[in-house]
Amino acid sequence: MRPLRRVRRRTAAALGAAAGVALLTGCGNGGGLRSAGPTPTAVGPARLWPELPPASAAPYDYGEGETARIPGIEVPDGDVHRLNPVAVVQAGLRARPNRSSGTADLPADTVRKINACRTDPASCPVLRPYYRDLTGDGRDDLVLGIRLPDHQLSVRVYMPEAGGLTRILSTSDAVISVELAGRDLIMRAPSAIAGYEYRTAWTWDARQRAMLPTQDEIQRIPPSRAPRPQLTTAAPTGPTATPSAGVSAERR
């Protein structure tokens, strides 16, 4: 079951834009000031039910802040382009997360298919890799996707660290699309409300040393939407596939 989403309504930008318009309309052509009309009285926040005790634990957990060192994977030069994506996922099955949320666990049938990627590549659920410097340290990080049952997708991000590999994001959802924008990884997911979708932006947090959902909102779907691209599995052996243009180019 999909957990209840937290929708954060950010009004600071809207208020700033409104103030800018008011200032512009207040300037006369002759250099004098002109009234922009009556201004609504500002109303401060009012706390409701102040007698309720504050919550001491999160109502649910979908992987934020969870990291794991991947055993057996060495990245001495910090170049994740040299890694085999299937080998990384297989090694990650043995990883111990810094805290147990259950989000890194994969269904038994998916695990079986991952372990059989070499002998049955057509059924391999590991998708081709993408690369982007999401942590801001000047080195590319590795972004992987794993097909799950019921059209779900597990998205994982790995960063080279101290000669090895650390998983800094592991989350699963029924996604419409996954995008890289700057240093954000953005996941779009269907909503139960017709004409709307969820949009979650995961961003690197240096204090937590993990990717956190910095924006989680529901948005109205535009009238026209580009067709959903087909997901492509990764090659189980040999050099990794070349990502699409605009994400990262393979080093030769």
Side-chain angles (χ1 to χ4, degrees):
M1 179 180 295
R2 180 186 185 81
L4 179 64
R5 287 280 181 165
R6 295 165 290 183
V7 180
R8 303 169 183 171
R9 299 180 180 178
R10 304 185 180 274
T11 58
L15 291 175
V21 171
L23 289 174
L24 290 174
T25 55
C27 297
N29 293 333
L33 296 178
R34 181 184 302 172
S35 174
T39 303
T41 303
V43 179
R47 183 179 178 185
L48 306 185
W49 305 294
E51 70 278 5
L52 292 178
S56 59
Y60 61 87
D61 181 3
Y62 62 112
E64 63 266 40
E66 180 179 292
T67 63
R69 187 72 168 180
I70 306 302
I73 299 296
E74 297 182 358
V75 196
D77 56 358
D79 186 4
V80 295
H81 293 250
R82 301 176 182 272
L83 298 177
N84 184 294
V86 173
V88 169
V89 174
Q90 290 174 339
L93 299 176
R94 304 187 298 272
R96 294 185 178 182
N98 61 333
R99 61 180 181 82
S100 179
S101 70
T103 57
D105 296 336
L106 296 174
D109 184 60
T110 303
V111 172
R112 180 187 62 79
K113 291 180 179 178
I114 291 173
N115 289 327
C117 280
R118 182 181 297 274
T119 57
D120 187 12
S123 300
C124 184
V126 181
L127 305 179
R128 68 170 179 167
Y130 287 90
Y131 306 93
R132 176 70 64 89
D133 178 11
L134 296 173
T135 62
D137 63 358
R139 298 178 298 184
D140 277 349
D141 302 299
L142 173 64
V143 183
L144 292 181
I146 305 171
R147 292 179 185 267
L148 302 179
D150 301 323
H151 302 287
Q152 298 270 327
L153 182 71
S154 176
V155 178
R156 300 176 176 211
V157 178
Y158 305 82
M159 68 174 291
E161 184 179 40
L165 198 65
T166 300
R167 188 172 63 216
I168 57 175
L169 168 64
S170 176
T171 187
S172 301
D173 214 334
V175 302
I176 297 172
S177 72
V178 182
E179 304 165 0
L180 291 173
R183 293 180 182 170
D184 292 338
L185 185 145
I186 301 171
M187 298 178 62
R188 292 171 42 228
S191 167
I193 305 175
Y196 290 81
E197 66 184 20
Y198 291 109
R199 180 183 183 275
T200 304
W202 293 81
T203 310
W204 168 255
D205 184 276
R207 180 178 179 181
Q208 186 65 29
R209 297 199 63 77
M211 297 192 70
L212 303 181
T214 52
Q215 294 185 33
D216 194 8
E217 55 191 355
I218 188 169
Q219 293 185 335
R220 188 172 181 176
I221 301 175
S224 61
R225 179 72 73 182
R228 182 178 178 181
Q230 295 295 322
L231 299 178
T232 307
T233 56
T237 59
T240 54
T242 302
S244 61
V247 179
S248 177
E250 278 292 312
R251 300 176 186 172
R252 297 296 181 184

